[in-house]
Amino acid sequence: MSDKNNLKVFVQTFGCQMNENDSDKILYIMEKEGFSPTNDETRADLIIINTCSVRKKPEHKAYSSIGRFKRLKEMNPELIIGAGGCLAQQEGRKFLLKIPYVDFVFGTHNIHKLPELIKASKEKERKVETEFYKEIRSLDIPGYTEKRRVTNFVTIMQGCNNYCSYCIVPYVRGREESRSSRSIINEITGLAEKGVKEVTLLGQNVNSYGLNREGELTFPELLKKISLIEELKRIRFTTSHPKDMKDELILCFKEMEKLAEHIHLPIQSGSDNILLKMGRGYTKTDYFKKVELLRRARPGIAITTDFIVGFPGETDKDFMETLDLVKKVEFDEFFSFKYSDRPGTRASFMEDKIPEHVKSERLKILQDLQKNITMKKNRAFFGKVVEVLTEGKSKKNEKQLTGRTGLNKIVNFYGEESLTGKLVKVKIEKVYSHSLKGKIFSEN
């Protein structure tokens, strides 16, 4: 171990925004324990891998990454390595058996136990904490915010009660639990005072916020309370389940200026047959109606979604219905994945599994279709002036600044770094598949 006054922690994160927010909570806890973050794993006294198990690919990535740390452990036996997140919750003690140089494992309800897990590791005791609790203590742990940020994730609830047939989330995140609205508003107020201008509210299904807490605000009511925080410029949220999206929430897009004109509304398939087998609780007609109401409430709203291709029993006809839906809705963008069995889910026991090469072909066809739609939508911005919340220097070109529009379009432009955190008008001069480029617009 390094000098106890100069301890370093390296955190590697896989998976969704909630995992990213959990990693911020991990850094906050470790700061209280005397660890400062490092981006260099070779300098770390503590390495924590925050894992994902929603699909096979991030699961394999996590195991591969952990394999890289074996050499560091051999070079420095005092190095402590821990594994957390959804894969850790799924595997539990098996994780320690598979990887003998991992010192501890903690699940999605056990972030608050990190100090005692590290203490046990120092005493050469390998521990596993994957218990689910009725109240998730980590929900109210703030994230590490020492680095100046313009945007920030805020978890408002965790877990899911839907049990879609393909999804492992309820098994690794547990049942739905909402934070108190007071705790959420206090955290966001604190972030806004530190310079955060935009928050993204996180939950497996934010539409269910407050339903398991007697006397709590509904999700639309929470949004309205947050919008009253003066320093805050924009509010986003994810993820929203179509079956639980009520008119009251749709109306928020019409009434709330601070609510960004973008929604992520996962549909997963364009086939009613597959949606039924997935257990999604809506039809494609139901989904079309939600889209229509959203576009009526907020003309021009950007709608993004998720698709799973190659679900068990998906026929060519089912897949063609998905393509047809994409053409009709014209999403701004989507995330798409090949179906993969997740342990213990109903779909993993279904017959009529789709061959891998068929899944790959379908995924490519679907993604190629969306690329054309996204490019067409992006071309419509050419020559237009858009409002961008400047987030800082571009990762690809440090001479440029980068930010996002309310529609969630990434915009790169030249400007002084002092513009970070400010809303800037930018005239678009170039369009690309996943971003826009322009220059600061002056009306003079």
Side-chain angles (χ1 to χ4, degrees):
M1 280 256 173
S2 305
D3 184 291
K4 65 180 181 180
N5 295 317
N6 192 32
L7 297 171
K8 301 288 185 185
V9 57
F10 175 82
V11 178
Q12 185 167 26
T13 310
F14 296 92
C16 65
Q17 296 102 323
M18 187 165 283
N19 264 22
E20 290 181 43
N21 190 232
D22 283 348
S23 289
D24 282 345
K25 294 174 187 287
I26 289 167
L27 289 173
Y28 177 87
I29 293 171
M30 297 326 303
E31 182 190 31
K32 300 300 179 188
E33 295 296 307
F35 289 81
S36 57
T38 178
N39 293 322
D40 182 358
E41 64 261 41
T42 64
R43 297 180 59 208
D45 304 282
L46 169 66
I47 292 176
I48 295 177
I49 305 95
N50 194 3
T51 64
C52 173
S53 64
V54 71
R55 301 184 314 280
K56 283 182 181 177
K57 190 172 182 180
E59 185 175 309
H60 289 160
K61 281 185 176 180
Y63 277 124
S64 176
S65 180
I66 294 168
R68 292 191 299 108
F69 301 136
K70 181 180 181 182
R71 181 181 58 84
L72 296 178
K73 185 80 165 181
E74 290 170 346
M75 292 169 60
N76 176 17
E78 295 301 307
L79 172 65
I80 295 174
I81 300 177
C86 295
L87 180 59
Q89 181 73 48
Q90 174 188 311
E91 296 293 279
R93 188 158 296 279
K94 288 188 286 184
F95 214 110
L96 292 185
L97 297 174
K98 286 180 182 178
I99 311 174
Y101 51 89
V102 167
D103 297 290
F104 64 86
V105 172
F106 62 102
T108 55
H109 284 209
N110 295 273
I111 293 173
H112 66 285
K113 290 196 171 181
L114 273 170
E116 63 185 76
L117 288 167
I118 291 166
K119 182 181 178 183
S121 298
K122 290 177 181 177
E123 296 167 357
K124 307 304 178 186
E125 182 185 357
R126 301 173 78 211
K127 294 190 73 173
V128 176
E129 293 285 358
T130 54
E131 185 179 350
F132 279 155
Y133 301 98
K134 189 175 181 181
E135 293 188 7
I136 310 170
R137 285 179 57 184
S138 62
L139 274 178
D140 289 323
I141 297 172
Y144 181 81
T145 55
E146 288 308 301
K147 291 181 181 178
R148 188 180 176 208
R149 294 181 183 174
V150 175
T151 68
N152 218 84
F153 295 128
V154 175
T155 298
I156 65 168
M157 64 186 300
Q158 181 171 309
C160 185
N161 294 346
N162 287 308
Y163 288 89
C164 299
S165 66
Y166 56 86
C167 187
I168 200 169
V169 167
Y171 304 97
V172 293
R173 286 279 179 180
R175 305 283 286 179
E176 289 176 357
E177 182 181 335
S178 300
R179 284 176 71 184
S180 77
S181 55
R182 178 181 295 179
S183 174
I184 294 165
I185 292 165
N186 285 345
E187 180 179 351
I188 296 173
T189 300
L191 290 171
E193 289 171 353
K194 289 181 179 180
V196 170
K197 301 298 181 184
E198 174 186 293
V199 292
T200 300
L201 310 178
L202 301 178
Q204 266 75 40
N205 179 15
V206 292
N207 297 344
S208 296
Y209 172 80
L211 298 183
N212 67 324
R213 292 181 74 105
E214 190 174 345
E216 189 48 275
L217 300 177
T218 65
F219 185 52
E221 289 169 343
L222 177 66
L223 287 173
K224 289 169 186 174
K225 288 278 189 183
I226 294 169
S227 72
L228 298 176
I229 300 172
E230 191 174 344
E231 298 89 345
L232 206 62
K233 301 300 181 187
R234 275 193 201 148
I235 305 166
R236 301 182 189 273
F237 60 82
T238 192
T239 291
S240 196
H241 198 300
K243 78 175 179 63
D244 297 320
M245 179 169 243
K246 302 293 190 289
D247 291 350
E248 187 186 3
L249 178 56
I250 293 172
L251 195 60
C252 288
F253 284 99
K254 182 177 183 178
E255 297 177 343
M256 291 176 55
E257 188 179 343
K258 287 186 180 181
L259 187 58
E261 57 264 47
H262 165 240
I263 186 169
H264 188 68
L265 194 63
I267 186 169
Q268 307 300 358
S269 174
S271 161
D272 285 344
N273 172 47
I274 297 300
L275 289 172
L276 182 63
K277 292 181 74 174
M278 287 178 166
R280 292 293 287 172
Y282 54 83
T283 65
K284 63 182 176 184
T285 299
D286 296 329
Y287 189 89
F288 278 131
K289 287 178 181 176
K290 304 285 185 186
V291 168
E292 184 180 331
L293 289 170
L294 283 162
R295 287 177 168 163
R296 193 181 303 162
R298 195 77 167 264
I301 189 172
I303 300 175
T304 56
T305 195
D306 295 337
F307 281 105
I308 297 172
V309 299
F311 188 83
E314 183 187 68
T315 63
D316 288 340
K317 180 178 180 295
D318 293 323
F319 179 63
M320 291 304 293
E321 288 182 28
T322 292
L323 296 179
D324 184 58
L325 180 136
V326 171
K327 291 172 186 175
K328 286 181 178 176
V329 174
E330 290 201 329
F331 296 101
D332 286 70
E333 189 56 273
F334 60 54
F335 299 99
S336 52
F337 314 98
K338 291 185 288 186
Y339 168 82
S340 59
D341 282 338
R342 298 289 76 205
T345 60
R346 298 196 310 280
S348 67
F349 299 104
M350 291 180 181
E351 298 179 352
D352 298 327
K353 293 293 196 297
I354 307 301
E356 197 64 28
H357 74 276
V358 174
K359 288 192 282 187
S360 296
E361 287 170 7
R362 288 178 180 173
L363 185 64
K364 185 178 186 308
I365 292 168
L366 182 65
Q367 291 177 342
D368 285 347
L369 172 60
Q370 182 59 42
K371 281 178 186 175
N372 292 331
I373 294 171
T374 300
M375 197 62 193
K376 183 184 82 170
K377 283 181 170 270
N378 284 355
R379 285 195 191 103
F381 285 96
F382 182 79
K384 290 188 176 179
V385 177
V386 297
E387 189 174 64
V388 179
L389 178 59
T390 313
E391 296 179 18
K393 289 183 179 180
S394 169
K395 290 180 181 178
K396 291 185 177 180
N397 183 349
E398 287 204 347
K399 293 181 180 179
Q400 291 182 348
L401 297 175
T402 190
R404 286 179 299 160
T405 68
L407 294 166
N408 212 33
K409 299 289 184 181
I410 297 170
V411 180
N412 297 306
F413 59 98
Y414 290 100
E416 298 296 324
E417 198 173 353
S418 59
L419 293 174
T420 299
K422 295 180 180 178
L423 289 165
V424 179
K425 289 185 176 181
V426 177
K427 186 173 183 179
I428 303 304
E429 296 182 324
K430 290 186 179 180
V431 298
Y432 305 99
S433 298
H434 300 291
S435 65
L436 308 170
K437 186 178 178 181
K439 67 178 181 180
I440 295 174
F441 176 73
S442 175
E443 295 180 5
N444 299 329

